Amino acid sequence: MKQPVYNYKIYKSTEETFSQTVDALLSAVAESGNGKPVRFVFFGKPTSNEEYVAQKREIVEKVALRYETARPTCSYVAQPPMDADTVLEVTYLVDFDALNLSYKETDDGTPYVVVESEGYKEVIVGGVADDPINHTVREQSKNVFVKVGKLLARENVQASDIVRQWNYIERITDFDGDYQHYQCFNDIRTYFYSRYEWKNGYPAATGIGVTLGGVYLDFNIVVGSAAELVPLDNKLQIPAHDYSQRVLLGVEDKYMKEKTTPKFERGKAVFTDDFKISYISGTAAIRGELSQVSDDVLVQTRTTLHNIAYLVSRENLLKAGVKSCPEHVKYLMLRAYIKHVEDLDTVKKYMENYCPLVEISYLYADVCREELLIEIEGIAEYN
């Protein structure tokens, strides 16, 4: 039996109202013929958490109406698109007739998708969230990971089976008193992860700021003998989970002996007979564990893309232990998180020259360190 093959597409729209924009994006998906959608990630520009909650509800309702019995996962990310009003990233499943698909919901009604074939199971989850209006970042982080734990138990999988995770954190570099939002999240993540054995490395992951919406997670789980799963280091960068205390901000959690490190790998290779990809974690202009400080966004962009190019190279995958890696690598899609609106034209011109024909989202977002102006993530394919 075949393993799943995915296609990725980015849609951008500017309509008169938010409702019309969502309708236009969903209509574009329906007319595309690219495959069966299994994940929707919307990016928008809400102006308050109340508006974020209302817009997210509208998205979820519209998706549910169009996909009554086969509903994709659905996330709404408050990262204002820089070249559209609303952006929709879609993950399509190709040649799905040979696969077993299950469309499920968590206890609180969050949809997720299970894709299975012989020796392979993938769980695709999006929009695991808490109350962004009444709870602090610390409280939200705790509650979100409780929900993750329940889903893992329901599917009889482990947190250590997560291959890719997206961590969206409202005002990521802000502080609540002495506690930085990102450090609060990292401490809660470390506590949750400590219950599991990580024999195959942590997930590839992105921890990135959002303007609104609190704390919310998307992730993919892969298990089974048909998949080769390999964590990827980068000789240019110290693994994030090995960072020293000097680059972690705020004060330690009272239950921790020290500030905990971000628990993710620089990337993760997921290889089957039919589909060979590397998930690229959120990557910035960091060498070793220190930021390559420059106020020139072009310098930071070049360093970031150089870091990524080595990470996904055949040389690096073979060094990491991937059994057989084809010669050719290409990017399937990228996201560029940009801190300053005025830097868009410079970044866009350089990236579209560097990797023409690649699907790219350009999003306004805070990066996890104040001095960093851009962060880039994506997916690379080998053939």
Side-chain angles (χ1 to χ4, degrees):
M1 183 179 290
K2 289 174 62 66
Q3 276 73 56
V5 175
Y6 294 101
N7 185 21
Y8 304 89
K9 182 69 178 176
I10 298 172
Y11 301 89
K12 303 179 181 183
S13 181
T14 302
E15 299 289 339
E16 188 171 337
T17 68
F18 179 78
S19 182
Q20 290 171 339
T21 295
V22 175
D23 284 338
L25 291 168
L26 291 175
S27 294
V29 173
E31 296 165 4
S32 70
N34 286 322
K36 182 181 286 294
V38 291
R39 166 173 277 141
F40 288 155
V41 185
F42 289 84
F43 298 89
K45 304 176 179 179
T47 57
S48 67
N49 268 323
E50 288 77 11
E51 185 176 47
Y52 170 84
V53 170
Q55 290 182 345
K56 179 181 177 182
R57 184 184 304 115
E58 183 170 10
I59 288 171
V60 169
E61 289 174 352
K62 286 181 179 292
V63 171
L65 281 174
R66 287 177 178 257
Y67 299 91
E68 293 183 17
T69 60
R71 185 158 46 133
T73 71
C74 189
S75 305
Y76 183 38
V77 181
Q79 290 172 337
M82 301 179 82
D83 56 354
D85 282 342
T86 309
V87 165
L88 172 58
E89 289 183 3
V90 183
T91 303
Y92 290 98
L93 188 58
V94 182
D95 296 332
F96 49 84
D97 290 338
L99 303 169
N100 297 319
L101 301 181
S102 302
Y103 297 89
K104 302 184 179 184
E105 292 185 354
T106 63
D107 292 341
D108 66 354
T110 301
Y112 67 98
V113 181
V114 179
V115 183
E116 294 179 280
S117 63
E118 185 176 349
Y120 185 95
K121 176 179 179 177
E122 184 163 9
V123 185
I124 302 169
V125 186
V128 180
D130 189 44
D131 181 351
I133 297 174
N134 299 307
H135 293 167
T136 66
V137 165
R138 181 177 294 274
E139 291 169 333
Q140 290 181 64
S141 299
K142 290 179 180 178
N143 294 338
V144 164
F145 277 111
V146 167
K147 293 181 179 182
V148 172
K150 289 180 179 179
L151 186 147
L152 295 174
R154 173 184 288 187
E155 290 299 325
N156 194 30
V157 293
Q158 305 291 310
S160 50
D161 297 319
I162 299 173
V163 296
R164 183 61 166 102
Q165 185 168 312
W166 291 266
N167 310 297
Y168 302 107
I169 302 155
E170 185 173 340
R171 303 188 325 275
I172 190 170
T173 58
D174 280 11
F175 283 74
D176 288 332
D178 292 328
Y179 297 98
Q180 188 207 41
H181 287 182
Y182 188 42
Q183 190 59 53
C184 287
F185 176 85
N186 283 329
D187 290 340
I188 300 302
R189 172 170 54 177
T190 296
Y191 177 76
F192 177 76
Y193 278 8
S194 68
R195 307 179 215 172
Y196 302 89
E197 292 187 38
W198 296 86
K199 297 179 180 178
N200 200 34
Y202 294 112
T206 301
I208 196 71
V210 290
T211 57
L212 295 162
V215 175
Y216 34 108
L217 304 186
D218 296 351
F219 55 94
N220 285 34
I221 294 165
V222 174
V223 294
S225 59
E228 182 184 6
L229 310 174
V230 180
L232 302 178
D233 279 334
N234 190 331
K235 69 179 182 181
L236 303 175
Q237 299 180 298
I238 291 174
H241 50 80
D242 288 338
Y243 281 167
S244 68
Q245 291 291 294
R246 65 175 175 162
V247 298
L248 306 177
L249 300 183
V251 301
E252 65 272 12
D253 183 278
K254 64 181 179 179
Y255 298 108
M256 305 286 182
K257 293 183 180 179
E258 60 183 11
K259 292 169 283 186
T260 65
T261 55
K263 299 299 190 291
F264 70 93
E265 307 293 344
R266 295 297 180 189
K268 196 95 169 195
V270 181
F271 276 34
T272 71
D273 288 342
D274 300 308
F275 195 51
K276 296 174 172 57
I277 63 169
S278 285
Y279 287 114
I280 303 160
S281 297
T283 304
I286 295 172
R287 291 292 168 85
E289 67 173 7
L290 301 178
S291 303
Q292 298 297 289
V293 179
S294 169
D295 59 3
D296 186 334
V297 72
L298 187 54
V299 172
Q300 290 199 19
T301 302
R302 287 171 175 162
T303 301
T304 300
L305 289 171
H306 186 252
N307 287 342
I308 290 172
Y310 179 76
L311 177 77
V312 301
S313 68
R314 184 173 186 267
E315 172 192 344
N316 194 46
L317 265 66
L318 293 175
K319 180 181 177 182
V322 174
K323 293 175 183 177
S324 178
C325 183
E327 294 281 350
H328 185 250
V329 57
K330 68 176 182 179
Y331 298 116
L332 293 179
M333 66 179 298
L334 296 169
R335 285 186 199 170
Y337 302 105
I338 303 171
K339 181 168 286 187
H340 300 303
V341 174
E342 60 268 24
D343 288 337
L344 171 63
D345 290 343
T346 299
V347 172
K348 190 172 184 180
K349 181 179 179 180
Y350 184 81
M351 289 189 66
E352 292 183 355
N353 181 64
Y354 179 86
C355 46
L357 306 179
V358 176
E359 299 277 332
I360 305 176
S361 296
Y362 297 94
L363 306 165
Y364 172 77
D366 274 338
V367 184
C368 61
R369 298 184 187 182
E370 288 286 358
E371 68 273 15
L372 295 175
L373 304 176
I374 185 168
E375 184 168 324
I376 301 171
E377 64 163 68
I379 302 171
E381 181 185 31
Y382 304 84
N383 52 45

